Amino acid sequence: MADSRPSLTAPVPALEHTPYSTLEVDYDRWIEKDGKAAPIVVQDLRNKSFYSDSDSDEKIAGYDNGKITYNDVDKQTVVNDASNAQLESTRPTEERRIFGLRRKTFFILLSVVLVLILAAIIGGAVGGTIAARNRKQTTIVPTNSSIPVTREQYANTGLAPMQWTDLNGTLHKRVYYQDSNNKIRESAWDNNTAFNTAWAINAISDAVKPGTPIAAAAGYPHASYNYSSVKNAYYMSTNNEFIERQAASNDSQAWSDNNFSGLYTGSNSTFLTAYWHQNIQNASEELVVLFQQDNFADGLTQGRYTSNKTTSNPWVAQNFGFSQPPGNTFAMSLVSYRSGKHLMLYTVDDSNDLQQHEYTISDTDLVSTSTVALTSQTSTNLTVQARSPLAVVAQDNQPLYATDTTPECMQDTPLANLILYTVPDRSSLVLNAWNCTTGFVDQTPAIAPLQKPNTTYLSLAAMSDHLTGDGNVYIMFDSGSGPQVEEWTVPTLAGDPWVTSRNVTVDFAL
């Protein structure tokens, strides 16, 4: 009978293996559990090979720097190394050895090595977890490792601007944000001496809800120049009640709570926006604040204050029911300077589809019982993440048309809306423009010169001045040295360049 045993000249094909554990802790990727950052442990199982003795059921695990095959002819082991191949001498049948060691000695040493490897893995994982706990907590997890990871507090922080021109022709700008002590701060700029007047930083509140949304608006009480102008800031208290903080526009120290404070309780993750329209000629006004209420979170609630020459009405709440899951972003902007009452509201539904709603904030009688309707809800076919920063600003393109060529639809909605939001990992911004004739058009290349590499975009806010037609967008970002804020000037006309008009002085460590 022919010998069926394999020949020494034709060894069993070699098997690859790895001489060390490949369980790794990836410190460049992070997840958050119970509010604390922890490393993701990535396990890679590679080529763990076992070699069988033909005379025994016992498995022998092979670990070596080269390739190992086992041949049962005369009980020989053939070691194929990349630098040298050698044949071990025939081992005595009464005591087989592994790598020159007695079997018992080999397995004792192997067990010790495995225990040491396991201990090193556990120690590395625990050490990584402890190190992670000592880092700043994060919620933004960029897919690009070059994008800075930002503290949780600033990941969804509120940002709100306002501006007005006083009766002396002086332009005033204010930007509101939350510092690291959870206080609301105001950065103030007044163009009364030079274009680049230094920003002054003031506190307007004690500690409030961490990560609170913020909105702001400025105007004249009772829509009358007989009163000094005031500025209002809106945010949430630690128990989720909304606060309206007011001060005279020329005073950044004497802040006090106003009538809206404590009337409504917001959902835990709501955004917030406000708009104050005034007609000085007939002394009428509408002030609206939009939010998600705790007992009506799937949709939006409008708080609305109205007054005229003879009547000052109380705040009235009205719910708008549509697909707007709790915590999804929203923003609004004017589409007509003539009336000042015709806006577009943008919301994000449960499919992350950006929705556009026509939104007229008041009727003509301004009675407290009147209601406001959202009409003509339209899908934009734009995908926006639920918690993505979102800002919308108006642009007046009517001068591009001759009087007799102005599209008919622009009689009612003459303004374009510029819609700015972040990509999912917040490493860059997307810009889409809408007007009544062309619909939605991607204009992201127009802002490419202003975008920054290796940056996380944290928050966006916009301001349209319906008296001057000026528009600005405020960008909060982190390029690795902590949050910063820039002011971008909206082009006067479509096709004009976007520019960074100024850096806003902020101090988050106060």
Side-chain angles (χ1 to χ4, degrees):
M1 179 180 295
D3 189 349
S4 61
R5 294 177 298 177
S7 169
L8 284 174
T9 61
V12 179
L15 299 176
E16 298 280 0
H17 75 285
T18 305
Y20 54 85
S21 168
T22 58
L23 183 65
E24 301 174 352
V25 178
D26 186 349
Y27 291 100
D28 294 326
R29 298 171 56 199
W30 296 87
I31 59 174
E32 183 169 275
K33 183 176 181 182
D34 298 329
K36 297 181 179 180
I40 297 176
V41 179
V42 180
Q43 185 172 8
D44 183 16
L45 302 177
R46 309 176 188 167
N47 302 332
K48 186 175 181 181
S49 302
F50 292 90
Y51 304 92
S52 176
D53 183 347
S54 61
D55 294 336
S56 170
D57 291 333
E58 184 176 10
K59 299 291 184 179
I60 303 174
Y63 295 88
D64 194 78
N65 289 326
K67 302 174 182 178
I68 298 178
T69 62
Y70 184 75
N71 191 311
D72 68 346
V73 178
D74 297 320
K75 308 301 182 187
Q76 291 177 331
T77 300
V78 180
V79 179
N80 299 317
D81 187 79
S83 59
N84 182 39
Q86 63 181 4
L87 182 65
E88 292 186 359
S89 59
T90 303
R91 294 172 294 176
T93 58
E94 67 276 5
E95 184 177 7
R96 291 183 297 132
R97 294 174 178 267
I98 303 174
F99 303 142
L101 300 174
R102 293 182 179 179
R103 290 167 56 85
K104 183 176 180 180
T105 303
F106 171 79
F107 285 113
I108 291 174
L109 291 175
L110 178 60
S111 299
V112 171
V113 170
L114 291 176
V115 169
L116 291 175
I117 292 174
L118 181 60
I121 293 170
I122 295 173
V126 172
T129 303
I130 294 172
R133 289 175 180 173
N134 289 332
R135 292 189 181 190
K136 302 296 186 182
Q137 290 186 341
T138 63
T139 54
I140 295 179
V141 186
T143 57
N144 185 341
S145 61
S146 63
I147 303 171
V149 175
T150 301
R151 285 182 57 183
E152 177 185 13
Q153 182 172 358
Y154 304 128
N156 292 296
T157 188
L159 182 69
M162 69 168 71
Q163 78 173 42
W164 70 94
T165 301
D166 63 25
L167 299 179
N168 297 319
T170 300
L171 177 64
H172 306 270
K173 294 177 180 285
R174 301 291 185 267
V175 178
Y176 299 90
Y177 56 94
Q178 188 174 35
D179 69 17
S180 60
N181 295 315
N182 297 324
K183 296 181 179 181
I184 304 299
R185 296 282 168 181
E186 174 194 73
S187 288
W189 181 91
D190 301 293
N191 185 20
N192 52 9
T193 56
F195 181 75
N196 282 319
T197 301
W199 291 81
I201 301 174
N202 309 287
I204 76 168
S205 79
D206 293 327
V208 297
K209 177 184 175 66
T212 179
I214 306 172
Y220 290 90
H222 308 291
S224 172
Y225 289 148
N226 294 327
Y227 300 90
S228 298
S229 58
V230 297
K231 50 193 178 183
N232 292 353
Y234 300 88
Y235 51 87
M236 296 176 75
S237 67
T238 53
N239 61 359
N240 287 354
E241 287 186 350
F242 291 108
I243 302 297
E244 180 184 48
R245 197 79 166 156
Q246 187 177 92
S249 60
N250 60 359
D251 191 337
S252 292
Q253 306 299 325
W255 289 85
S256 60
D257 290 353
N258 206 33
N259 297 334
F260 184 75
S261 298
L263 294 180
Y264 309 106
T265 301
S267 67
N268 189 55
S269 55
T270 183
F271 284 81
L272 187 63
T273 187
Y275 175 67
W276 196 350
H277 170 258
Q278 297 191 313
N279 185 325
I280 301 297
Q281 184 176 0
N282 63 17
S284 65
E285 62 181 344
E286 304 87 28
L287 173 57
V288 295
V289 181
L290 292 180
F291 53 92
Q292 287 183 299
Q293 202 167 187
D294 60 342
N295 57 1
F296 187 77
D298 194 8
L300 291 180
T301 297
Q302 171 193 260
R304 177 167 167 256
Y305 167 82
T306 60
S307 75
N308 55 28
K309 290 181 179 179
T310 59
T311 305
S312 180
N313 297 308
W315 284 89
V316 175
Q318 180 181 346
N319 293 331
F320 299 131
F322 52 85
S323 177
Q324 174 76 9
N328 280 20
T329 187
F330 56 88
M332 61 181 172
S333 178
L334 282 167
V335 289
S336 174
Y337 285 140
R338 284 194 298 270
S339 71
K341 301 178 182 180
H342 193 182
L343 299 93
M344 287 292 184
L345 172 65
Y346 295 86
T347 64
V348 176
D349 66 15
D350 54 7
S351 299
N352 289 345
D353 185 12
L354 186 67
Q355 301 287 319
Q356 182 189 59
H357 313 256
E358 290 190 26
Y359 176 38
T360 303
I361 62 172
S362 75
D363 51 23
T364 57
D365 59 7
L366 296 181
V367 298
S368 61
T369 56
S370 63
T371 58
V372 175
L374 291 179
T375 60
S376 302
Q377 177 175 338
T378 304
S379 171
T380 67
N381 293 318
L382 301 175
T383 299
V384 178
Q385 297 300 304
R387 298 289 296 171
S388 173
L390 172 68
V392 187
V393 65
Q395 182 184 56
D396 188 358
N397 291 319
Q398 290 183 99
L400 295 174
Y401 299 92
T403 303
D404 57 349
T405 62
T406 301
E408 183 177 354
C409 68
M410 293 183 68
Q411 300 299 321
D412 294 325
T413 55
L415 301 180
N417 281 176
L418 305 182
I419 306 158
L420 192 67
Y421 54 94
T422 65
V423 298
D425 70 353
R426 303 196 186 187
S427 62
S428 64
L429 300 172
V430 178
L431 176 66
N432 276 273
W434 171 89
N435 65 51
C436 66
T437 60
T438 62
F440 294 89
V441 178
D442 182 20
Q443 292 191 356
T444 305
I447 60 172
L450 278 64
Q451 301 218 48
K452 304 177 186 300
N454 305 327
T455 293
T456 299
Y457 290 93
L458 304 174
S459 191
L460 303 173
M463 188 284 311
S464 300
D465 190 326
H466 71 280
L467 296 178
T468 65
D470 294 335
N472 297 106
V473 175
Y474 293 83
I475 316 291
M476 183 184 292
F477 62 93
D478 185 354
S479 294
S481 58
Q484 303 176 61
V485 178
E486 283 184 345
E487 179 189 78
W488 294 1
T489 297
V490 175
T492 303
L493 296 172
D496 290 346
W498 285 74
V499 296
T500 301
S501 47
R502 57 182 56 83
N503 294 318
V504 179
T505 301
V506 293
D507 191 344
F508 289 90
L510 288 174

